[in-house]
């Protein structure tokens, strides 16, 4: 066997686990991907790919049966691996804290199975001190200190661009408290940090190359755990910040996109994650902001700032809803076209999606909703089943047919290319309330729409007058 090749077990085949497993195989390691869901393992073995992610199926096809295998036998996979990455879920518990029971169960089982040195690596997003707990659990199960280390290697991939994010990262963060553990982690990522991978035949393209390989930050285990929580919390704060700026823009008649552009040109601030809208959602930001705040409080640190970030995020949806109300006056019996269900464009994931919150409210107020999303309709139908008031349609124009207003709720690229003339003739009234700022307000006036977006001056069709949103 090639001496640079390591044998790696990845426990958990969710978003992070499956992508990490496929990418470890892609950079030359021998990988065993473990999941206790037998059905999922059978699907993966048979060539199925449970998530919608560019390049993932290609990588799995490339390596399945050779350098990647799927199993539900954690004990055996742990025994055979040099490194065991834990990538199981850490859902939000009742108090806002992360529920670490899956991590605990996996750590115990690893401990019961191993008989030579293993490096156990936290890949899931976990609060600071989790490494200490894993260490304690493994020790309690009778494993002596010399036989294991616990390290942290948080993952920063985004849904929709997961494979490229993994292989072409801004940075790789590894946290370890022993040189032995650190040396192993360096070996795992050597193909990316040396740039060798980017020259290999069939390498997945991205921003990194031989001359600009992936940088690696080496830290203590605790610092690495904190980097992940602090990064997600900071990005969520950036979004909430620009959303409040957008509200100020609305109050004074300025355009938030100009403000964001001007802020973003300051290299200390940077232009990304300054898109105002209906707030952040997804399986990470809401959970991680709550968990980080909780952990800080447990340590006696008041991180009230994060409470504000959450509050602003929740209020942003309410504000948007009020805008819709100001365009429609009353809701009962009105037909609304809703474009977008996923928490962001490019994914079928609807977890904590602001779009669904708004639809829930519309249905509650007695509207009839015709919804369209390029990927997330099946998942959304499990929450809001198709019925008299909730319809899922084949395209945006069918959604618009006879609607009193059209709402943009997810930033899908394909919505930017909509045929506006066709849309306008399908709508009963030419009203668009855009929660993702996809269109240019001046162009929308030319096209004859009443158009409202977030943090930009609204435009009103000559035949329309809008209710003052401040009048209840
Ligand atoms: C996020 C982070 O970006 C990843 O780095 C991290 O690895 C991941 O969480 C995680 O912890 O697993 P993701 O949840 O896939 O990734 O989605 P983002 O692209 O970050 O978007 C999150 C939400 O913020 C979406 O609802 C999006 O619409 C919203 N958003 C994003 C804005 O409202 N404005 C922006 O400018 C950017």
């Amino acid at each position: 066997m090639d001496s640079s090749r390591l044998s790696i077990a990845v426990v958990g085949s969710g978003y992070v686990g499956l992508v990490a497993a496929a990418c470890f195989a892609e950079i030359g390691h021998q990988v065993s991907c473990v999941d206790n869901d037998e059905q999922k393992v059978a699907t993966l073995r048979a060539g199925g790919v449970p998530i919608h992610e560019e390049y993932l199926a290609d990588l799995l096809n490339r390596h399945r049966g050779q350098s990647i295998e799927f199993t539900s036998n954690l004990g055996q996979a742990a025994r055979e691996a040099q490194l065991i990455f834990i990538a199981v879920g850490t859902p939000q518990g009742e108090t806002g804290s992360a529920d670490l029971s899956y991590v605990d169960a996996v750590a115990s089982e690893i401990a019961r199975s191993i008989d030579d040195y293993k490096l156990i690596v936290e890949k899931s997003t976990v609060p600071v001190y989790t490494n200490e707990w894993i260490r304690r659990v493994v020790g309690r199960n009778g494993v002596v200190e010399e036989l294991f280390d616990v390290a942290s290697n948080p993952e920063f991939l985004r849904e929709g661009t997961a494979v490229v994010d993994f292989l072409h990262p801004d940075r790789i963060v590894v946290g370890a408290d022993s040189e032995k553990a650190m040396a192993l982690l360096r070996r795992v990522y050597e193909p990316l940090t040396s740039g060798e991978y980017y020259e290999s035949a069939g390498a997945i393209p991205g921003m990194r190359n031989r001359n600009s390989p992936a940088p690696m930050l080496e830290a203590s285990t605790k610092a690495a755990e904190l980097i992940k929580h602090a990064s997600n919390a900071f990005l969520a704060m950036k979004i909430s910040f620009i959303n409040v700026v957008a509200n100020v823009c609305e109050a004074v008649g300025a355009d938030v996109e100009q403000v964001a552009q001007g802020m973003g040109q300051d290299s200390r601030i940077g232009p990304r994650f300054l898109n105002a809208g209906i707030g952040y959602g997804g399986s990470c930001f809401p959970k991680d902001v709550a968990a980080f705040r909780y952990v800080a409080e447990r340590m006696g640190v008041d991180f009230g700032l994060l409470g504000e970030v959450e509050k602003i995020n929740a209020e942003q949806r309410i504000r948007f809803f009020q805008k819709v109300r100001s365009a429609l006056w009353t809701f009962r019996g009105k037909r609304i076209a809703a474009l977008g269900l996923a928490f962001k464009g490019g994914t079928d994931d609807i977890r904590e999606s602001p779009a669904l919150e708004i639809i829930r409210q519309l249905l509650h107020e007695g509207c009839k909703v015709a919804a369209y999303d390029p990927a997330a309709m099946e998942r959304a139908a499990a929450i809001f089943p198709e019925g008299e008031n909730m319809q899922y349609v084949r395209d945006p124009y069918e959604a618009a047919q006879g609607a009193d207003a059209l709402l943009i709720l997810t930033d899908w690229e394909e919505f930017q290319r909509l045929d506006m003339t066709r849309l306008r003739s399908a709508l009963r009234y030419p009203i668009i309330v855009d929660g993702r700022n996809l269109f240019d307000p001046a162009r929308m006036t030319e096209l004859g729409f009443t158009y409202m977006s977030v943090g930009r001056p609204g435009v009103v069709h000559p035949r329309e007058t809008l209710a003052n949103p401040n009048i209840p």
Side-chain angles (χ1 to χ4, degrees), residues 156-157 159 228 232 273 275 280-281 284 343-344 436:
F156 301 97
L157 61 81
E159 290 191 17
K228 173 69 193 184
N232 271 6
F273 277 64
N275 295 322
Y280 59 79
C284 304
F343 82 97
K344 65 171 185 178
R436 301 291 190 162

Side-chain angles (χ1 to χ4, degrees), residues 16 125 155-160 165 171 228 232 235 239 242-243 272-285 288 343-345 352 354 411 436:
V16 169
T125 301
E155 184 48 58
F156 301 97
L157 61 81
R158 289 161 301 171
E159 290 191 17
D165 285 348
R171 78 299 203 192
K228 173 69 193 184
N232 271 6
L235 290 169
I239 297 169
I242 200 67
N243 279 334
R272 293 166 75 192
F273 277 64
L274 283 180
N275 295 322
I278 46 177
Y280 59 79
S283 63
C284 304
F285 285 178
D288 292 347
F343 82 97
K344 65 171 185 178
E352 300 283 331
D411 53 347
R436 301 291 190 162

Side-chain angles (χ1 to χ4, degrees), residues 68-92:
I68 188 166
E69 57 165 23
F70 301 97
T71 176
S72 54
N73 190 337
L74 172 56
Q76 189 186 353
R79 260 190 310 279
E80 289 172 0
Q82 293 161 282
L83 298 99
I84 306 159
F85 284 77
I86 303 182
V88 296
T90 52
Q92 189 168 334

Side-chain angles (χ1 to χ4, degrees), residues 18-228:
L18 190 56
V19 172
C23 292
F24 285 148
E26 171 70 1
I27 60 175
H29 302 301
Q30 186 64 42
V31 183
S32 180
C33 186
V34 188
D35 205 292
N36 60 5
D37 180 342
E38 303 267 2
Q39 185 64 46
K40 204 169 185 185
V41 171
T43 305
L44 287 163
R45 276 188 184 152
V49 185
I51 50 175
H52 173 82
E53 198 61 57
E54 194 181 12
Y55 298 122
L56 184 58
D58 303 340
L59 292 191
L60 292 174
N61 285 337
R62 203 178 278 180
H63 302 293
R64 186 181 296 106
Q66 294 177 44
S67 47
I68 188 166
E69 57 165 23
F70 301 97
T71 176
S72 54
N73 190 337
L74 172 56
Q76 189 186 353
R79 260 190 310 279
E80 289 172 0
Q82 293 161 282
L83 298 99
I84 306 159
F85 284 77
I86 303 182
V88 296
T90 52
Q92 189 168 334
E94 276 167 23
T95 50
S97 62
D99 175 353
L100 297 173
S101 48
Y102 299 120
V103 177
D104 184 352
V106 166
S108 309
E109 178 142 8
I110 292 171
R112 287 194 292 270
S113 314
I114 60 178
D115 45 27
D116 61 355
Y117 177 83
K118 305 291 172 196
L119 177 57
I120 302 170
V121 190
E122 308 161 340
K123 192 82 174 144
S124 315
T125 301
V126 290
V128 66
Y129 280 117
T130 304
N131 75 89
E132 297 278 358
W133 273 106
I134 296 177
R135 229 182 283 274
R136 214 176 285 179
V137 167
V138 175
R140 260 182 208 160
N141 280 280
V143 184
V144 293
E145 256 177 46
E146 299 71 49
L147 278 196
F148 74 102
D149 276 306
V150 181
S152 165
N153 169 221
E155 184 48 58
F156 301 97
L157 61 81
R158 289 161 301 171
E159 290 191 17
T161 50
V163 169
V164 175
D165 285 348
F166 191 101
L167 294 170
H168 296 263
D170 282 355
R171 78 299 203 192
I172 296 164
V173 172
V174 288
D177 302 322
S178 83
E179 183 44 40
K180 187 174 181 179
M182 196 59 97
L184 266 174
L185 288 166
R186 280 186 208 119
R187 279 178 62 195
V188 170
Y189 288 104
E190 223 266 329
L192 302 182
T193 54
S194 68
E196 194 190 318
Y197 169 72
Y198 307 112
E199 285 187 330
S200 62
I204 301 294
M207 66 163 180
R208 296 275 165 215
N209 54 51
R210 184 81 191 199
N211 299 325
S212 168
M216 178 179 265
L217 176 81
E218 298 184 5
S220 70
T221 315
K222 279 184 200 144
E225 289 169 332
L226 283 170
I227 287 169
K228 173 69 193 184

